[in-house]
Amino acid sequence: MLRLRNSLTVCLLCALIFLSCGFVDLRPIGIGIEPNDMNSLLPDSFSPLIIKFDTEVIKNEAEGIMQINSDYGSVRGDKFWRNNDLYFVPLQGWTAGVRHTLNLSGTIRSIDGREIRIDRFIPFYAINRNAHPFLAAHYPEPGESVGTNNFIFEFQFSLSMDKLSVETALALDGIGNKTFEWSDNDRLLKVIIDNPLTPWSLYRWSIKDTAKSADGVPLPKTYSGHFTTDLDRTLPSVTGVYPAIFSDGEWFATGANIENGLGGGMGIIISFNKPMGENAARSIRFEPSLSGRAEFLSVDKIVYVFTRDPEPEISYTLTILGEAKDSEGLKIGSDSYYYFTPDIPYLSVLHFKTDDDSVIDDFSQTNTVLPAKVNIQTGELEFSVYFSLPFGYEEKVNAAQKITLAPFFPKHLLPIALNYVHWASDDRLIMRWEGLSFGTENNHFYKLVIPGGKNGIGSGAGIFMKENIVLYLEAIP
């Protein structure tokens, strides 16, 4: 009787429900998830996550309950439907070896009015479950002091790396042109810096966690470090400036001081306290200007070779600019000045002679008149000039061409000509002229000019007479 009474009660309740609300479907919404197992492995970078519903659901609400994360943050992707199945494909692809999680949390409602509350947490991997690579060692060490020249970074990884991803992830602040070299089965990266680093500077570097191993697994974190280029803390300086002479193919210091010991044909040696950079050879100035070239004798010595000797009796200033750098790029810092007057004499005429009675050795007077005996029959005049310094071959030829003798007074004198030149020694010139004449009513005068100055005669490179020597020769029989 009790069992019959309970059955009747259930029937009455069902009848009331059918009469008041109509038919209600109490079946749960069926849900399938791929992947469904914990720590599943998706086969490739763009394998989709799929949520399968056995009935049509409200799509925007279903999409809203899905979140995908990884150790690197939220994963962005595309969501789309195929019938009642919701697909998710990552925009950048899954990252190999990284643990991802699919989170489903919220209420799903079907079109026919049913609903279900879901709260699922499913971790998974993609491509592989290999170990993360890591940076095992690097040079320079954090905060290390290094030099500036021929600098090479070294990065040692625990696994073979994807070269392009590492090179792209590597940031070297303040460093431009560089070359990458890989070795040790792509586990050792050397970064060769093309240009010297700036001395006494702080440099920073980093390798982002986007760098990956050869099988696509990224670094677990971003690595970074810094170092300073202050290994060399000694500033360069000039230790000596002195005259130098060239002998047997080499330059040697003469031992004289620079103030008054620089002679003809000599150069200047500049020594430093340490090896210097190339720009040191371009940091030498002279006032007044002197042309020449600077050459390295050794890593810490430069010789300046003059194109022509400095001029006599002129005070020069040699300046070594403070911009001169050593091999590490450190600057001297301030200009260095050295003053000198060359020990180079002017060329001079010791004496001039036409015959035993006509000799002059004092050329300080102007408009000097000297009797000169002329051959009555031939009209020839011969004289000799004694110089203070010996002449080279080319200088002898040039001197003979530049010394002139010309009619001076009276104006109607006929032209004369040079018919004989002979160097009796390296410092004695003999010349013979023809066509000279005597005067019956007025004396005949001829003007002799031995040209001086830079464009006059010279006995060697940079050796010349200070000024012209002018003599007036009175022709006598």
Side-chain angles (χ1 to χ4, degrees):
M1 287 298 291
L2 179 62
R3 184 178 300 170
L4 179 60
R5 198 178 299 120
N6 290 339
S7 298
L8 291 172
T9 302
V10 170
C11 291
L12 289 172
L13 290 172
C14 291
L16 289 173
I17 292 172
F18 276 106
L19 290 173
S20 61
C21 299
F23 178 75
V24 176
D25 190 348
L26 298 180
R27 291 174 302 164
I29 298 173
I31 298 176
I33 303 173
E34 293 184 8
N36 190 49
D37 297 331
M38 301 289 281
N39 298 320
S40 297
L41 180 66
L42 298 181
D44 58 54
S45 298
F46 294 96
S47 296
L49 300 179
I50 307 173
I51 303 177
K52 299 180 178 181
F53 300 97
D54 66 352
T55 186
E56 187 175 0
V57 298
I58 299 175
K59 293 182 178 179
N60 63 333
E61 292 182 355
E63 292 175 7
I65 70 168
M66 176 186 287
Q67 289 185 345
I68 298 93
N69 298 290
S70 75
D71 295 341
Y72 297 91
S74 178
V75 180
R76 297 176 58 194
D78 289 327
K79 297 176 182 177
F80 59 91
W81 291 83
R82 289 180 180 173
N83 298 321
N84 293 329
D85 298 341
L86 172 59
Y87 284 72
F88 177 89
V89 178
L91 290 177
Q92 304 297 327
W94 305 114
T95 302
V98 173
R99 187 172 184 264
H100 299 78
T101 57
L102 169 62
N103 292 286
L104 299 175
S105 180
T107 300
I108 299 171
R109 295 188 299 164
S110 65
I111 297 298
D112 58 15
R114 289 178 291 161
E115 64 180 40
I116 186 172
R117 176 74 183 179
I118 188 170
D119 193 3
R120 294 287 303 276
F121 173 87
I122 302 174
F124 65 93
Y125 293 84
I127 306 170
N128 61 57
R129 282 193 289 263
N130 295 342
H132 287 274
F134 60 88
L135 184 62
H138 59 83
Y139 172 82
E141 294 291 335
E144 185 173 356
S145 295
V146 302
T148 61
N149 290 315
N150 305 315
F151 185 77
I152 300 176
F153 282 99
E154 290 190 11
F155 299 100
Q156 181 71 54
F157 296 93
S158 61
L159 299 172
S160 299
M161 301 298 289
D162 175 69
K163 293 187 287 187
L164 180 59
S165 72
V166 175
E167 293 170 8
T168 303
L170 176 61
L172 305 174
D173 293 348
I175 295 176
N177 297 335
K178 52 189 173 291
T179 302
F180 297 105
E181 287 188 1
W182 288 88
S183 60
D184 191 20
N185 194 27
D186 294 340
R187 289 186 298 177
L188 177 61
L189 170 61
K190 291 185 177 181
V191 184
I192 302 170
I193 308 305
D194 295 346
N195 300 316
L197 302 179
T198 303
W200 290 6
S201 297
L202 175 68
Y203 285 87
R204 299 183 184 276
W205 62 267
S206 65
I207 302 178
K208 296 179 181 178
D209 54 13
T210 54
K212 300 178 180 179
S213 64
D215 52 16
V217 181
L219 294 175
K221 65 177 183 178
T222 294
Y223 292 89
S224 62
H226 69 277
F227 62 92
T228 54
T229 52
D230 60 351
L231 183 64
D232 185 351
R233 302 187 183 188
T234 302
L235 291 176
S237 62
V238 180
T239 58
V241 175
Y242 33 85
I245 190 169
F246 190 73
S247 177
D248 295 329
E250 295 184 45
W251 286 96
F252 299 93
T254 64
N257 60 56
I258 189 62
E259 287 78 8
N260 53 22
L262 182 68
M266 293 185 183
I268 296 178
I269 288 180
I270 304 169
S271 64
F272 300 87
N273 65 331
K274 59 189 305 190
M276 299 299 292
E278 293 182 358
N279 90 312
R282 301 188 296 271
S283 300
I284 299 172
R285 303 288 187 271
F286 291 93
E287 180 63 36
S289 178
L290 290 172
S291 62
R293 67 184 187 279
E295 302 174 355
F296 275 91
L297 296 179
S298 63
V299 294
D300 60 354
K301 285 186 176 64
I302 294 174
V303 62
Y304 193 89
V305 183
F306 297 103
T307 303
R308 57 185 299 170
D309 285 337
E311 295 186 23
E313 300 180 7
I314 292 181
S315 293
Y316 290 91
T317 301
L318 164 62
T319 303
I320 296 137
L321 300 180
E323 293 297 312
K325 299 178 182 179
D326 64 14
S327 58
E328 287 291 313
L330 297 175
K331 296 180 181 180
I332 291 178
S334 59
D335 296 350
S336 301
Y337 301 95
Y338 298 86
Y339 307 95
F340 65 95
T341 301
D343 185 20
I344 300 174
Y346 278 111
L347 175 66
S348 62
V349 176
L350 298 180
H351 66 266
F352 176 86
K353 177 180 178 182
T354 60
D355 53 61
D356 292 338
D357 297 327
S358 300
V359 178
I360 184 171
D361 55 13
D362 181 6
F363 300 94
S364 61
Q365 303 295 322
T366 58
N367 300 325
T368 300
V369 178
L370 183 69
K373 294 182 180 180
V374 177
N375 188 293
I376 299 175
Q377 286 77 27
T378 62
E380 293 177 339
L381 168 65
E382 184 174 294
F383 58 79
S384 61
V385 185
Y386 289 84
F387 293 96
S388 60
L389 296 171
F391 282 64
Y393 175 77
E394 292 186 5
E395 288 76 17
K396 290 177 181 179
V397 174
N398 291 334
Q401 293 175 346
K402 290 184 177 181
I403 296 175
T404 61
L405 182 64
F408 181 72
F409 181 84
K411 293 183 178 181
H412 64 264
L413 294 179
L414 297 176
I416 62 175
L418 176 65
N419 70 1
Y420 177 76
V421 174
H422 173 64
W423 284 87
S425 63
D426 289 342
D427 58 359
R428 181 187 175 195
L429 172 62
I430 299 174
M431 305 184 78
R432 184 186 304 140
W433 296 78
E434 62 183 7
L436 285 78
S437 60
F438 312 101
T440 54
E441 297 180 359
N442 296 309
N443 294 336
H444 291 183
F445 294 90
Y446 295 84
K447 182 179 181 180
L448 173 69
V449 179
I450 304 175
K454 294 181 180 179
N455 296 321
I457 65 171
S459 62
I463 305 297
F464 54 89
M465 296 195 340
K466 187 173 184 180
E467 56 191 5
N468 294 349
I469 292 179
V470 178
L471 296 176
Y472 295 92
L473 304 181
E474 181 184 359
I476 61 175

